[in-house]
Amino acid sequence: MLRRISYAAAINEAFIAIMREKKEAFHIGVGINTPWFVGNTMTGLLEEFGPDRVIDTPVSENGVTGLAIGAALAGMHPILTFPRMDFMHYAMDQLVNHGALLPATLGGRVKIPILVRAIINRGGEQGAQHSQALQGVFMHFPGFKVVMPSHPYDAKGMLLQAMEETDPVIFIDDRWLYDEQGEVPASSYRSDLDRAEIVREGTDLTVVASSYTVVLCRETLESLPGAPSVELIDLRSIKPIDSACLLRSVAKTGRLLVVDATWPKGGVAAEICRIVATEGFASLKKPIAVISLPDAPAPAAHSLEEKYYPRASDITAAIETLIG
Amino acid sequence: MEEINIMILMSLLKSMLKIRLVEEYFAEKLTSREIRCPVHLYVGQEGIAAGVCQNLRTDDYVLSTHRSHGHYIAKGGDVNALVAEVFCKENGCSHGYGGSMHIVDPKINYLASSAIVAGSIPIAAGTGLASKLKNEDRVSVAFFGDGATDEGVFWETVNVAALLELPVLFVCENNLFSTHMPIALRQAEIDIHKKVSAFGLETARIEGNDVEKVYTTARGLIERIRATRKPALLECLTFRWLAHVGPDPDLDIGYRKKVDVEKWRKKCPIQGLKNRLLERGILSEPEYGRLVGEIETLVGDADRFRRAGRDPSVTEF
């Protein structure tokens, strides 16, 4: 049997492998050398690779993002970390106008190979500005790949694969997943970036989730009485979305529940609904159901957080409505 | 001022003339509306691009802005590909996807021009970070206007470049206006180089229309950057003769006076160098005429090149 390690340890293993394998790789970002910002995902990197290749920066997000983009243009392959996605708003000009748009704008004459690691860090009464999950924002811009692994095997494999890409990849990890355990080979391996994965097969309902909502859905489905035949899809890639996988599943089940822990307007759930409504409408036996965050900023109070984030009971109720 | 080699003086003159004649060609084609793409002309500021780039090697990096044609030409960029790009043709340097504000030539390490004010400044510093990590002695140059120093990212970059000791020359072409806004209405302290020097950078503030001064000052700074890998800033005072965008002189729309434009036209960097070379007997009028003719031929070739270019097409974006 393979050894089991945590999601955070899998990220750490990937980073060590990348830095050993690829001389062009280096880390840069705010707070990357302190566990307070990045948990134990960066353990040992500074010690092994030194401050030139593991650069902790001032909180100058836009400037530092430009630095990473420039280094990428000049042949390096930076790993740029945002310990909280909330602070990426500061860097939107460099990320979007430059990282995402410049390669095509310059007729494909340049490449910007850059891995942007964005951490979702929420809950614990942190309030609205320390809670955001922005995959719905980044999927909007042409030029990015956006991935969100849900388990340790993918966390490591997708990071290693992301470093094979020549375009910017936004890798989003959620601190709620850091203690999740899973089987992870000690060797260096790659996982596809653009493919969804069927976590469990079923015939009566398709549930689509990503990142930590995959864990939430899996656990909920395991505890459901009567064992309904539900197919659970782990999106893995937010951009591109593996629409073929979604449409095949919906063609089989005729029912769709989207579970997405971001704001509901114009985001991941909305895009999945667009795909199925435009390309798989005839398969649908019931209207699509969506569980997302409310269209409201995250609250601080624990009593409010409990109602704000998707819960197992929301999923159970939605399944009941769709196939009960 | 120290003596500059005659070959270099002639090269500076030729570089400035090339920029001027290409820009005048664009102005003519904008007026006749054969060019549809927005074009920010560099006429009047040629001494800065020519003087700085004369000191650069092909492997040195240049990053620029919406007003980038001069930097591209002075760095050694292919004029045919530039002209075709401004006409948005498939044989343009960005294959018609960029237009005038998005010029590139990776072969000469002219890596990007950005239409976002100050957008290419941190990117230039990032190329410097790459040189540092690869232990190369290349220099990176960021060209930008005074308007870019209104943006926060400029100051972030100056600080980080000083902190990480990155081999970058920041070249601020202070033409005294950000589109229509004079610098005194935008900045509480208008001496840019003084503010930047507070970050520990070597800085200089000079007359940007004196190409010899630009050349020698940039040479000193670039040699120092190559040796120490520490960033520096060169602030060049100058003036754009034409509008912020397009070929008009922008005289009657309320933000600048005709008398000021005329004053700066008298400080033409090309005429200045030409007169000095004539006085010193280095150049004769017939020789100057031959040089102009040579560049006119080059512009004529570029015009034919873009006419032969196809409009880009795609089956799928």
Side-chain angles (χ1 to χ4, degrees):
Chain A
M1 194 180 114
L2 277 168
R3 80 207 163 109
R4 294 175 70 80
I5 61 171
S6 72
Y7 189 97
I11 290 175
N12 185 246
E13 269 194 14
F15 284 159
I16 290 170
I18 288 164
M19 294 287 276
R20 285 180 185 162
E21 286 172 19
K22 205 170 169 114
K23 66 180 191 320
E24 297 83 8
F26 72 98
H27 284 270
I28 188 165
V30 175
I32 59 174
N33 286 332
T34 157
W36 193 76
F37 279 100
V38 290
N40 56 358
T41 60
M42 297 292 288
T43 305
L45 285 154
L46 178 65
E47 291 74 10
E48 181 169 347
F49 303 105
D52 272 358
R53 290 184 71 199
V54 190
I55 307 170
D56 199 338
T57 72
V59 280
S60 302
E61 285 84 358
N62 202 29
V64 167
T65 302
L67 225 61
I69 289 170
L73 276 175
M76 300 298 290
H77 199 143
I79 302 167
L80 169 67
T81 294
F82 291 90
R84 284 187 189 280
M85 287 196 90
D86 311 71
F87 287 71
M88 292 175 86
H89 296 301
Y90 262 124
M92 286 309 259
D93 168 58
Q94 284 301 322
L95 285 168
V96 177
N97 280 320
H98 298 89
L101 303 189
L102 261 189
T105 299
L106 299 173
R109 299 287 306 281
V110 298
K111 291 285 181 193
I112 301 180
I114 176 172
L115 171 57
V116 180
R117 179 192 174 205
I119 303 177
I120 299 170
N121 186 346
R122 57 186 164 188
E125 302 196 330
Q126 296 186 81
Q129 294 172 343
H130 276 33
S131 294
Q132 292 169 80
L134 298 170
Q135 56 268 36
V137 173
F138 288 103
M139 77 187 302
H140 183 65
F141 303 109
F144 289 138
K145 288 186 173 177
V146 183
V147 299
M148 294 186 83
S150 72
H151 52 77
Y153 181 91
D154 266 354
K156 180 175 174 180
M158 291 173 93
L159 277 175
L160 278 149
Q161 179 57 39
M163 292 300 283
E164 306 284 327
E165 304 289 319
T166 54
D167 296 316
V169 176
I170 298 191
F171 176 98
I172 302 172
D173 52 292
D174 189 323
R175 283 187 75 147
W176 280 351
L177 289 169
Y178 278 18
D179 293 332
E180 282 294 311
Q181 301 284 316
E183 293 183 348
V184 176
S187 62
S188 171
Y189 62 92
R190 272 86 181 140
S191 307
D192 295 342
L193 294 189
D194 51 3
R195 183 177 52 74
E197 189 176 82
I198 295 172
V199 179
R200 49 176 277 172
E201 294 195 8
T203 55
D204 298 343
L205 167 66
T206 301
V207 176
V208 179
S210 56
S211 189
Y212 107 91
T213 62
V214 174
V215 176
L216 182 67
C217 289
R218 195 183 61 227
E219 289 172 358
T220 306
L221 290 171
E222 280 163 5
S223 66
L224 273 188
S229 184
V230 176
E231 184 143 294
L232 175 59
I233 295 177
D234 177 354
L235 215 47
R236 296 176 75 257
S237 172
I238 304 297
K239 189 170 196 175
I241 283 184
D242 185 353
S243 47
C245 175
L246 298 184
L247 292 166
R248 264 197 313 273
S249 181
V250 172
K252 178 170 67 174
T253 64
R255 297 174 185 88
L256 176 63
L257 168 63
V258 185
V259 184
D260 174 44
T262 62
W263 288 313
K265 315 277 178 174
V268 178
E271 173 61 9
I272 291 170
C273 291
R274 184 192 70 80
I275 291 167
V276 175
T278 56
E279 298 176 59
F281 189 74
S283 310
L284 288 172
K285 297 172 188 159
K286 285 218 170 177
I288 302 168
V290 173
I291 295 171
S292 68
L293 299 182
D295 184 21
H302 182 66
S303 58
L304 298 175
E305 282 184 328
E306 283 203 317
K307 294 187 84 159
Y308 183 78
Y309 293 108
R311 291 161 299 179
S313 57
D314 300 326
I315 297 166
T316 308
I319 292 174
E320 180 71 20
T321 307
L322 284 162
I323 56 173
Chain B
M1 201 195 298
E2 68 177 288
E3 195 75 7
I4 303 173
N5 175 306
I6 290 172
M7 298 285 284
I8 288 172
L9 289 170
M10 291 304 293
S11 172
L12 291 169
L13 182 66
K14 186 171 177 179
S15 177
M16 289 192 294
L17 263 173
K18 206 195 265 188
I19 299 167
R20 174 71 55 91
L21 294 185
V22 170
E23 294 290 67
E24 285 179 345
Y25 163 81
F26 287 143
E28 181 194 315
K29 299 298 179 190
L30 284 158
T31 305
S32 65
R33 299 187 188 279
E34 286 168 85
I35 294 174
R36 292 179 293 265
C37 170
V39 177
H40 302 74
L41 295 166
Y42 193 65
V43 177
Q45 304 183 202
E46 297 89 344
I48 302 164
V52 171
C53 291
Q54 185 70 41
N55 294 291
L56 298 179
R57 308 189 309 222
T58 303
D59 68 344
D60 290 330
Y61 298 112
V62 165
L63 287 107
S64 178
T65 66
H66 55 289
R67 198 179 309 285
S68 65
H69 305 164
H71 312 129
Y72 172 94
I73 291 170
K75 184 69 169 66
D78 176 29
V79 172
N80 287 352
L82 167 67
V83 168
E85 188 58 37
V86 174
F87 281 85
C88 294
K89 295 294 180 182
E90 196 177 38
N91 56 353
C93 60
S94 303
H95 306 310
Y97 280 80
S100 167
M101 293 189 281
H102 298 291
I103 301 299
V104 67
D105 190 350
K107 290 195 297 295
I108 57 160
N109 291 296
Y110 183 101
L111 292 185
S113 29
S114 171
I116 301 295
V117 176
S120 57
I121 298 173
I123 296 176
T127 63
L129 176 60
S131 302
K132 178 185 168 180
L133 294 174
K134 291 192 261 186
N135 200 24
E136 295 171 341
D137 72 341
R138 304 185 197 212
V139 168
S140 299
V141 177
F143 285 103
F144 52 90
D146 49 301
T149 71
D150 296 349
E151 295 280 4
V153 75
F154 169 69
W155 299 101
E156 290 185 9
T157 307
V158 164
N159 177 58
V160 172
L163 184 75
L164 299 180
E165 300 192 341
L166 304 180
V168 187
L169 178 63
F170 298 101
V171 179
C172 178
E173 303 184 320
N174 184 351
N175 65 16
L176 312 173
F177 287 88
S178 175
T179 62
H180 64 294
M181 280 277 274
I183 189 164
L185 294 186
R186 302 170 1 240
Q187 300 192 1
E189 165 56 66
I190 63 167
D191 190 334
I192 293 166
H193 99 290
K194 193 165 89 183
K195 290 184 284 191
V196 172
S197 68
F199 287 78
L201 276 73
E202 180 85 9
T203 66
R205 183 184 224 216
I206 59 170
E207 284 300 326
N209 286 20
D210 179 347
V211 67
E212 291 153 279
K213 184 75 183 165
V214 174
Y215 167 73
T216 50
T217 311
R219 193 175 70 182
L221 293 172
I222 287 167
E223 280 172 1
R224 186 174 172 279
I225 293 167
R226 234 185 267 289
T228 65
R229 294 231 182 94
K230 287 184 181 166
L233 173 123
L234 177 61
E235 180 184 1
C236 300
L237 296 171
T238 188
F239 200 79
R240 67 174 150 71
W241 291 7
L242 303 175
H244 162 66
V245 58
D248 302 323
D250 258 15
L251 294 179
D252 47 5
I253 56 173
Y255 77 89
R256 63 185 198 173
K257 297 194 189 94
K258 192 177 176 196
V259 58
D260 288 330
V261 178
E262 279 168 0
K263 187 185 85 185
W264 277 96
R265 277 179 176 265
K266 289 198 184 88
K267 294 203 273 185
C268 173
I270 299 172
Q271 197 62 44
L273 180 62
K274 180 191 167 193
N275 289 345
R276 289 191 291 278
L277 296 180
L278 288 172
E279 277 164 27
R280 291 173 60 190
I282 294 169
L283 181 75
S284 66
E285 281 290 359
E287 277 166 347
Y288 181 77
R290 273 197 296 280
L291 187 57
V292 170
E294 209 178 285
I295 295 166
E296 282 171 346
T297 303
L298 190 128
V299 175
D301 290 346
D303 183 64
R304 274 187 294 282
F305 182 80
R306 66 95 184 166
R307 283 176 195 279
R310 289 182 301 188
D311 291 329
S313 64
V314 285
T315 46
E316 198 183 343
F317 277 103

